[in-house]
Amino acid sequence: MSEQRSDAANAPAAAAQTTAAEHIRRAASPIDRPENADLGALLERIGDARVVLIGEATHGSSEFYRLRARITQALIEHKGFDAVALEADWPDAARIDHYVRQRDLPPAEWTAFARFPTWMWRNRETADFIDWLHARNASLETAGAKTAAKTAVYGLDLYSMFTSIEAVLAFLDAEDPETAQIARLRYGCLTPWQSDPAVYGRAVLTGRYHYCADQAVAMLTELLDRRLRYLARDPERFFDALQNARLVADAERYYRVMYYGAHESWNLRDSHMFETLQAILAFRGPASKAVVWAHNSHVGNAAATEMTARGEHNIGQLCREHYGHGAYLIGFGTDRGTVAAASEWDGPMEVMRVRPAHADSYEALCRASGVPAFILPLRRPLGDALREALTAPRLERAIGVLYRPQTELASHYFHAILPEQFDDYIWFEQTRAITPLATEELEGMPETYPFGL
């Protein structure tokens, strides 16, 4: 009798699940492979958006990277997008930009994308897109287009505090040696923590060291005060130096506040990403359009997830609030397969097996639709019946650079309202791990190649 009562109680939930899966099946546009997906309807929905944010449910699934690159290529070729902004550090992404726009590469004694997790951008899927962009920009140059017409690549993240300090100093050494000496004195406050910036935050918190915010901000102010002089000489190089100085100031604060609470450091990081994106668009001009590549947890609207209950926001939410429908948010999801990830921070990359999605998740609904891969429109006025079926909060999975399948529910799931989080959702029932670039593949590449040894 108790089993009968339990079945009766579960019947409405099971019916709702079946209905939602059926709505997904009807609304979905099936995909065969990322390389031949029909993007016409998606591009039409994107319309004249100025910012398109394209996510990933993991930092290591090949299908996500490949289709994100394909969508970006279409946006560049058919919609006039001229900037690609990555969840990567500014100096590392600048190496990509020097390569794809054939700009002179300043000498440096560091290797791009050498910090954990190296595989996140140093992989075959990313390299294929970079090579495509390099060739496309080269064809524009052959046709006589101005440098500004070429698509540029930028980094939005803030972990490269000391590489950014070196970049600011290199700029000032060439342009303003007297100010370079001032910069060395100001940034000297941070030098003792170069090997491990996180230790700086702990030292400040425990009172064993004074904080260096004033010096970092003063250097940023100095550059801003002299911007007219620097801009007249070389706008691109000054913009690069200015963003590196902003990164140093924000990174100092980030490492200082990370011990006070996770939401404070998260918010500072995503605010930095949004402000950097704004600076990129302002620098490139009113006609500029940008594609953002980052994890779902950054590009989806945080206000539609449990992040908002923790006091967290993200770049997707900030773009939605600032641009309205001028920001288009695209998420990805998968049920099972393999993923490139690590078991612990600073650990080696492993090819790990992804467990089938939790029964109470959006991923389970997509699996139940019976469509192996698809693009799903979620923005109004399209798909109102679908949106209604998906409006009840459900679990959603997020795998970052770490994957802990043994504690997956606690470590990798959060509640969300999918139709409010994304404008489109792209599904691959089964995915495979990205392919990291092997050392031998990089030997003999030109010095300007961003993943050079």
Side-chain angles (χ1 to χ4, degrees):
M1 183 68 69
S2 62
E3 290 182 2
Q4 290 178 346
R5 283 198 297 269
S6 176
D7 290 343
N10 291 333
Q17 181 118 339
T18 301
T19 300
E22 178 62 20
H23 278 297
I24 290 173
R25 186 186 68 77
R26 291 177 180 174
S29 297
I31 298 171
D32 180 15
R33 298 174 62 251
E35 288 73 21
N36 60 14
D38 183 354
L39 302 179
L42 175 62
L43 293 179
E44 187 174 340
R45 290 193 294 274
I46 289 171
D48 59 357
R50 190 176 187 196
V51 178
V52 175
L53 299 94
I54 313 178
E56 56 191 8
T58 80
H59 276 320
S61 299
S62 176
E63 287 78 4
F64 300 161
Y65 280 66
R66 286 152 54 206
L67 187 49
R68 182 169 58 184
R70 174 100 190 289
I71 295 169
T72 303
Q73 290 169 353
L75 291 172
I76 292 169
E77 292 183 315
H78 304 298
K79 294 283 188 179
F81 279 71
D82 61 349
V84 180
L86 310 178
E87 183 189 338
D89 291 332
W90 182 274
D92 287 353
R95 289 293 185 89
I96 294 179
D97 189 53
H98 282 102
Y99 175 69
V100 300
R101 288 201 286 164
Q102 297 89 38
R103 298 173 58 210
D104 292 336
L105 182 68
E109 297 180 356
W110 57 277
T111 301
F113 303 100
R115 178 181 60 79
F116 176 89
T118 56
W119 67 88
M120 182 173 161
W121 298 118
R122 192 186 277 252
N123 57 68
R124 171 50 52 199
E125 290 81 354
T126 300
D128 286 345
F129 171 77
I130 290 170
D131 289 341
W132 174 87
L133 189 55
H134 173 86
R136 184 182 189 279
N137 282 338
S139 70
L140 292 177
E141 185 168 300
T142 301
K146 295 181 180 178
T147 301
K150 297 179 180 180
T151 300
V153 177
Y154 300 98
L156 299 177
D157 227 330
L158 50 52
Y159 291 114
S160 61
M161 181 159 65
F162 290 97
T163 307
S164 290
I165 286 175
E166 292 173 5
V168 174
L169 294 176
F171 171 79
L172 290 173
D173 281 339
E175 297 293 328
D176 193 342
E178 290 184 8
T179 304
Q181 292 303 314
I182 297 171
R184 282 186 167 82
L185 292 173
R186 286 176 175 157
Y187 287 146
C189 178
L190 292 163
T191 302
W193 316 103
Q194 186 162 349
S195 61
D196 190 353
V199 177
Y200 161 74
R202 186 162 64 243
V204 171
L205 181 64
T206 58
R208 292 187 291 109
Y209 193 77
H210 62 285
Y211 67 85
C212 303
D214 292 344
Q215 292 91 328
V217 172
M219 200 58 249
L220 174 58
T221 303
E222 189 90 25
L223 284 175
L224 288 168
D225 287 344
R226 298 166 184 259
R227 62 185 177 275
L228 292 179
R229 183 204 307 178
Y230 297 144
L231 278 170
R233 296 177 184 171
D234 192 331
E236 289 273 2
R237 288 193 64 225
F238 171 66
F239 180 61
D240 179 71
L242 182 63
Q243 289 307 120
N244 276 301
R246 283 179 172 146
L247 188 154
V248 173
D250 283 350
E252 183 280 331
R253 187 178 166 207
Y254 174 84
Y255 287 114
R256 184 158 40 88
V257 306
M258 66 187 294
Y259 290 95
Y260 289 95
H263 78 278
E264 292 186 47
S265 56
W266 175 278
N267 287 348
L268 195 155
R269 183 183 173 208
D270 271 63
S271 292
H272 174 86
M273 289 187 186
F274 176 70
E275 290 160 9
T276 301
L277 177 64
Q278 292 291 85
I280 291 166
L281 291 170
F283 175 73
R284 294 189 64 84
S288 181
K289 298 180 180 181
V291 185
V292 174
W293 288 12
H295 196 277
N296 281 356
S297 56
H298 293 292
V299 306
N301 184 359
T305 75
E306 68 179 52
M307 292 170 64
T308 192
R310 301 195 296 264
E312 296 175 350
H313 60 246
N314 63 8
I315 186 173
Q317 178 181 345
L318 296 174
C319 283
R320 174 68 82 229
E321 292 171 353
H322 184 82
Y323 292 103
H325 278 189
Y328 205 89
L329 317 181
I330 302 173
F332 279 79
T334 188
D335 177 59
R336 63 190 182 275
T338 58
V339 66
S343 297
E344 59 185 8
W345 193 259
D346 268 343
M349 190 209 88
E350 305 171 46
V351 175
M352 308 172 76
R353 186 153 296 281
V354 178
R355 300 177 62 177
H358 192 280
D360 296 330
S361 67
Y362 280 111
E363 289 87 351
L365 290 183
C366 293
R367 179 179 63 210
S369 74
V371 185
F374 57 72
I375 301 175
L376 186 68
L378 296 171
R379 178 183 280 194
R380 295 186 193 278
L382 295 172
D384 280 343
L386 172 68
R387 286 174 58 88
E388 184 176 350
L390 299 181
T391 294
R394 291 180 178 271
L395 291 174
E396 184 180 313
R397 182 163 57 190
I399 299 173
V401 297
L402 305 183
Y403 183 42
R404 297 180 173 130
Q406 66 276 16
T407 60
E408 189 181 67
L409 183 58
S411 300
H412 297 288
Y413 281 94
F414 60 98
H415 282 92
I417 301 175
L418 194 71
E420 301 296 332
Q421 185 186 11
F422 299 111
D423 297 310
D424 266 76
Y425 186 68
I426 300 177
W427 171 254
F428 289 96
E429 186 171 317
Q430 188 160 346
T431 50
R432 64 175 176 82
I434 54 173
T435 303
L437 290 174
T439 300
E440 55 267 22
E441 291 183 80
L442 299 171
E443 292 177 349
M445 296 299 292
E447 291 183 3
T448 55
Y449 197 67
F451 302 124
L453 301 175

